[in-house]
Every structure is written in C-alpha cells, then in structure tokens.
Amino acid sequence: QVQLVESGGGLVQAGGSLRLSCAASGRAVSTIVMGWFRQAPGKEREFVARITWSTHDTYYANSVKGRFTISRDNAKNTVYLQMNSLKPEDTAVYYCVADRSPVSLFTTPEYWGLGTQVTVSS
C-alpha cells in the first residue's frame, strides 16, 4: 500500500503561482511512478503530469506544458508540482497519484490522495 497526502492548494489570481506537495509513504515508494491529476467542476478527471522515482523522466499534459513543473525529493519521499502563469481554467481539485507502471498512471492510477483545491480568479 502507498499513502499520499497533498498540500499547498489555495486561491490565487490569474498569472500567479502555487506549489503543490505530495508526501508518499508505504511500501516500495522508491519503485513507483508519481504524478498529478485534476478535476474541474462538471468535468472528468484529467492527467496533468508524472515523474518516475528512480530517474528524472517527466511527462506533461499539453494544457500545462511550459507552465507547470513536476519534481521530487527522494530523501523526503515527496513530489512537487510548481504551477506558474495560472489561468482560471486551471481551477480544479488536484489529486496526487501513484502507480507501479508509468503507462497505467496515465489512465487508471492505483493510488490516489484526497485532493487539494486550487482556485484561480480572473
């Protein structure tokens, strides 16, 4: 089992920045892929970004590429999502996710955090 706890959401004006954090605990944390999904009101959850634990391999949704950066601190078992140039359409609940497979993580991650709200005002 892997437990994920997010923090760092909040309210920000368009053009501003926020950094989300996700602390992971449990078995085999060093072998999992971690990432972020989000769900806006009335929409389905969508993939945002992912990073492998043992390498620096990252991947982003086109909608956030160039604005968001995912990173991780292995010593703290924590993954971060730095969000810059935020837009009102980035408003959503952001979920930290994890999976043993980098492929599965894109569609059906095995582990989910409870989510943190990000609201971007215009």
Side-chain angles (χ1 to χ4, degrees), residues 6-75:
E6 306 99 333
S7 61
L11 173 64
V12 64
Q13 289 189 332
S17 299
L18 279 176
R19 189 177 80 156
L20 305 183
S21 300
C22 174
S25 61
R27 297 181 61 184
V29 170
S30 63
T31 65
I32 60 173
V33 182
M34 293 186 66
W36 295 89
F37 270 59
R38 67 184 181 185
Q39 186 169 23
K43 295 187 177 181
E44 294 188 355
R45 289 179 181 178
E46 63 174 0
F47 167 81
V48 176
R50 70 105 168 109
I51 186 167
T52 56
W53 204 254
S54 58
T55 68
H56 295 266
D57 185 38
T58 59
Y59 192 86
Y60 298 92
N62 287 334
S63 58
V64 306
K65 198 174 297 183
R67 299 187 299 122
F68 291 11
T69 302
I70 189 170
S71 61
R72 85 282 188 270
D73 183 333
N74 287 5

Side-chain angles (χ1 to χ4, degrees), residues 37 97-99 104-112:
F37 270 59
V97 297
D99 199 286
S104 298
L105 186 131
F106 286 120
T107 54
T108 53
E110 185 172 4
Y111 302 104
W112 292 76

